[in-house]
Structure formats: structure tokens, C-alpha cells
Amino acid sequence: MGVKESLSKPFAKKIVKKTKKWASQPAETQQKVFRKLMKKLAKTKFGKDHNITNGESYSSFQQKVPVRDYEGLRSYFERIADGEKNVCWPGK
């Protein structure tokens, strides 16, 4: 058994175990991902304009952020094109 093989097997087992865990709990996994996304979004100009908080719920997010087309979001895209940071996503 080579060095790569001996190191890759435990790593692969760890990844498989982690993947099975989140795949077996789709609703909980989705909520966890949503909370992480809201935490990041709350720090952006878009998030602040829409009063997004760190602990935002999905139903509250739906009420605060209406569905819009390109024209409805154009001002944010123009700010990004002008080089402004943290407009729609941290660092972007």
C-alpha cells in the first residue's frame, strides 16, 4: 500500500460519513445552510437594505425580499460593476 492510498482511505471514509449524515437529514441540512447564508447576507448592503438579520427565517425572508427581474436589481449590479464591495454578497 502506497503513501497516497494509506492517507486517502481514511480521508475518503470521513467524507462519506459526513455526506451520509447530511443526506439523511435533508430538512435539517437545508435549514443549517439557510442560516449560514442569511448570516453572510445580513452583512451586505442588499441585506441591510432589506433588514435581513442573522437569525432570519425563510418566511420572513420571503416577505422582506420580493421577487424581481434584472431591472429591479440593476442598481445593485451597477454598484458591483463600479467596484463597490459587499453589495450582494460579502467581498463581491
Side-chain angles (χ1 to χ4, degrees):
M1 180 183 301
V3 174
K4 285 184 182 180
E5 187 178 341
S6 63
L7 294 174
S8 65
K9 282 190 176 187
F11 180 71
K13 284 182 182 182
K14 182 178 177 180
I15 296 298
V16 167
K17 183 179 178 182
K18 189 175 180 180
T19 301
K20 284 182 179 181
K21 181 180 177 184
W22 67 256
S24 69
Q25 303 171 341
E28 292 85 357
T29 299
Q30 192 173 33
Q31 284 296 320
K32 186 176 179 180
V33 170
F34 181 78
R35 284 191 303 269
K36 285 182 180 182
L37 293 173
M38 291 302 102
K39 186 176 181 179
K40 288 184 176 190
L41 183 63
K43 298 175 185 177
T44 66
K45 292 175 180 63
F46 182 89
K48 290 174 184 170
D49 288 350
H50 292 82
N51 299 313
I52 302 299
T53 61
N54 191 357
E56 199 71 46
S57 71
Y58 179 68
S59 60
S60 175
F61 175 80
Q62 285 180 303
Q63 292 172 356
K64 292 179 179 182
V65 182
V67 175
R68 289 173 275 189
D69 61 7
Y70 175 83
E71 292 301 321
L73 297 167
R74 177 179 238 166
S75 64
Y76 292 104
F77 301 147
E78 288 173 348
R79 292 165 74 175
I80 294 168
D82 290 340
E84 191 173 338
K85 301 288 183 198
N86 301 317
V87 177
C88 292
W89 204 246
K92 305 287 182 209

